[in-house]
Amino acid sequence: MSIQIIKAGILDSLQGLPDTGKQHQGFSPGGSMDTIAHLMANALVGNKRDAIVLEMHIPAAVIVFNKETLFTFTGALTSATLDNETVYSNQPIIVNAGSKLTFNAPANGARIYLAVHGGFLFKKGRLQKNDVLLTSQNFNYHFEGVGQLHALTTGWTANTGEFYRSNIIRCIQGPNFNVLSQKEIEDFENKQFEIDLQSNRMGFRLKSDPICHTITPELLSTAVTRGTLQLTPAGQLIVLMADHQTTGGYPRIGTVISADMASLAQMPIGSSFGIKWIDIQEAERLLLQQETNLQQLENACKFRLQEYFSEK
Amino acid sequence: MSATTSYQIYPISDQAVTLDFGGPISLETNDRVYMLVDALIKNKLEGVTDIIPAYNSVTVVYDYVTVYKRQLKNENTIPVYAFIKNWIENNVNQDVSGIEVLKNEIIIPVCYDKTVAPDIESVAEQHQISAQKVIELHTAKTYRVFMNGFLPGFAYMGIVDPAIQTPRHQNPRPLVQAGSVGIAGVQTGIYPCNSPGGWQIIGKTPLALIDENENILLTPGSFVKFNAISLLEFEKLNKQ
């Protein structure tokens, strides 16, 4: 099975889950920016968690399916036109060979994740027009109405709303939080941070009034993580995202909690949010809760897919 | 060297804890870093995904859910970050005397010709010495790879002779070529690929710092010596 990109979107790429284990040699873990959408996409087509998915921004690529398959798209909530039918995010969709998928505007979110049954074979870098993306296995499902009915949705949608928040991103304080004065800490809570145009998979630059007025010297380089809030010499924040460098020398005033990273990844350039400080035990509790909810939804997907295909 | 080890230890995310020995760049502190890294690797813990050494710190990155399930058996007896913190602290060797970190010495051929070393003349000028003296001082020392970071395979090395220590450029160059050898303060390093960069470029090596299978040449803890080569030799080696 394969799909072909007949019109490239903005920075389409194939992504797995973060690839850890080589950060000590300077290799960024990378992987899908929105890991929740990544996991949901795979669950909806019966894949393992780490199967490779297609990450797209908006406007997204136009795609043709070269063979019948089961696919879905998750992440930014949107609709798409599949030949003449409208299909929606978070649905498993069976598609015939030759069908064309075009995403509709607008979308609620910044990134769309498309998964096909079996997962894509990994290919590095930015995808171009006419690229063919191979999948690791075929979808052996014969359905009636070939030639007449181009798409069937399986009739249900996974509700992923509970995983995303839009106004407040929660963070824990970092080792250099103390570079902020008492007054700066008080002001911080009321500030809005706008995602600057110069933001990418490495990091989001956050536009705000300067949050810190003392010039802090550059520190000895030390490890940073996805979500680290770095304070630049101009008193502004950079939050590190999937393709972050493994080490850095800017003061680290905090880190976005893991449970809120998917929400941040779905915020489009130009949108704003506030930051709320919480303690690490609360961050752990929220992460565990999120994992439990995710597993429940994954199990529901598995059950529904089994049920659907056993009836046929 | 003191007989006991002082440090700070703190979470830097809800899935990473850093142990920080503090202080400036020094071989002694960096030895402690690699002793701790070795101990942590030896006493491996399921759920730990990365152990990242730096000049004077070690950061342990872990998968929260795996540690919670495998190590704490799904019980909230202790926060996961505190469990990881204890694990790291239990691996800090309090006695740091008499331990040697033995690693191979890697010889790196470097061409210091100004056609591939755009900053060698200005570095010489700033220190009121000749370019030849810069080369002598840069090749005289054996450097330690303190850490990797910035780019895959980029090695932070030191300690550069005070007579040629030079701060970064105020404005980074948009493009520094792969193989370029630079100085930034007490540090020296080699760009493994084309990249924007602010270091003072005083030479270029024909060696590949990273191969097609993503194996890197300069790993943390290695020792490195630079060997000056002519432009002719550089071009010959570069073609191979």
Side-chain angles (χ1 to χ4, degrees), chain B residues 173-228:
Chain B
R173 282 197 174 87
L175 177 68
V176 175
Q177 287 187 355
S180 294
V181 177
I183 287 179
V186 302
Q187 313 165 104
T188 184
I190 310 171
Y191 286 80
C193 56
N194 292 347
S195 157
W199 290 32
Q200 305 281 344
I201 305 304
I202 60 159
K204 194 174 180 186
T205 179
L207 289 192
L209 277 288
I210 180 168
D211 70 15
E212 63 276 15
N213 298 320
E214 299 197 331
N215 294 312
I216 67 168
L217 183 65
L218 303 179
T219 52
S222 318
F223 288 96
V224 171
K225 209 154 188 292
F226 296 112
N227 177 31

Side-chain angles (χ1 to χ4, degrees), chain A residues 170-182:
Chain A
R170 294 162 295 190
C171 298
I172 61 167
Q173 295 175 1
N176 310 115
F177 184 76
N178 58 9
V179 303
L180 303 178
S181 69
Q182 197 53 47

Side-chain angles (χ1 to χ4, degrees), chain A residues 280-281 284, chain B residues 11 13-14 17 62 79-86:
Chain A
I280 186 167
Q281 279 178 264
E284 287 194 353
Chain B
S13 106
D14 50 25
V17 173
Y62 54 94
V80 167
Y81 84 91
F83 177 82
I84 294 289
K85 196 166 154 253
N86 290 346

Side-chain angles (χ1 to χ4, degrees), chain A residues 28-297:
Chain A
S28 177
S32 291
M33 289 277 276
D34 177 351
T35 47
I36 288 176
H38 176 110
L39 296 175
M40 283 317 303
N42 280 326
L44 282 162
V45 296
N47 287 350
K48 285 195 204 151
R49 277 188 155 195
D50 59 357
I52 306 294
V53 304
L54 172 59
E55 181 180 270
M56 294 178 285
H57 300 82
I58 293 154
V62 178
I63 288 160
V64 166
F65 295 87
N66 294 337
K67 222 175 160 191
E68 68 272 8
T69 191
L70 171 67
F71 85 101
T72 190
F73 52 94
T74 62
L77 290 179
T78 188
S79 65
T81 305
L82 186 62
D83 298 329
N84 297 316
E85 293 188 45
T86 304
V87 289
Y88 298 92
S89 302
N90 301 318
Q91 298 180 313
I93 304 160
I94 300 163
V95 65
N96 246 337
S99 285
K100 185 171 112 176
L101 181 73
T102 312
F103 287 91
N104 304 327
N108 183 8
R111 291 176 171 83
I112 298 168
Y113 292 82
L114 184 139
V116 296
H117 181 73
F120 292 105
L121 294 176
F122 188 66
K123 180 171 162 184
K124 208 172 167 174
R126 182 178 173 177
L127 300 173
Q128 315 279 349
K129 185 182 171 176
N130 296 330
D131 274 351
V132 173
L133 311 181
L134 301 173
T135 67
S136 60
Q137 101 195 49
N138 283 330
F139 180 65
N140 297 319
Y141 175 70
H142 175 76
F143 58 98
E144 290 155 28
V146 174
Q148 299 152 25
L149 193 61
H150 284 271
L152 307 166
T153 64
T154 59
W156 59 279
T157 301
N159 182 3
T160 58
E162 63 172 314
F163 296 112
Y164 296 97
R165 42 199 291 127
S166 54
N167 298 321
I168 299 283
I169 292 293
R170 294 162 295 190
C171 298
I172 61 167
Q173 295 175 1
N176 310 115
F177 184 76
N178 58 9
V179 303
L180 303 178
S181 69
Q182 197 53 47
K183 172 83 168 54
E184 285 164 349
I185 293 168
E186 282 163 24
D187 291 348
F188 194 95
E189 297 260 348
N190 301 319
K191 281 195 166 33
Q192 284 288 304
F193 299 92
E194 184 189 324
I195 299 175
D196 188 75
L197 192 61
Q198 286 186 5
S199 296
N200 53 35
R201 282 183 43 93
M202 285 179 75
F204 288 179
R205 283 179 177 270
L206 304 182
K207 229 169 22 185
S208 66
D209 309 328
I211 62 153
C212 180
H213 299 278
T214 45
I215 295 164
T216 48
E218 197 164 317
L219 308 161
L220 274 189
S221 279
T222 174
V224 290
T225 67
R226 196 189 271 222
T228 298
L229 295 169
Q230 292 184 321
L231 181 65
T232 70
Q236 308 253 306
L237 293 179
I238 296 174
V239 53
L240 299 181
M241 302 301 287
D243 289 344
H244 64 84
Q245 292 180 358
T246 55
T247 58
Y250 288 141
R252 300 153 296 165
I253 66 153
T255 304
V256 176
I257 66 167
S258 299
D260 284 359
M261 281 308 293
S263 302
L264 183 59
Q266 285 298 353
M267 289 188 185
I269 282 167
S271 61
S272 297
F273 61 90
I275 285 176
K276 184 181 174 216
W277 300 111
I278 65 169
D279 67 38
I280 186 167
Q281 279 178 264
E282 176 72 357
E284 287 194 353
R285 197 189 61 73
L286 290 164
L287 185 54
L288 190 61
Q289 186 61 54
Q290 187 177 71
E291 174 66 18
T292 308
N293 295 348
L294 255 171
Q295 279 179 14
Q296 274 172 11
L297 205 48

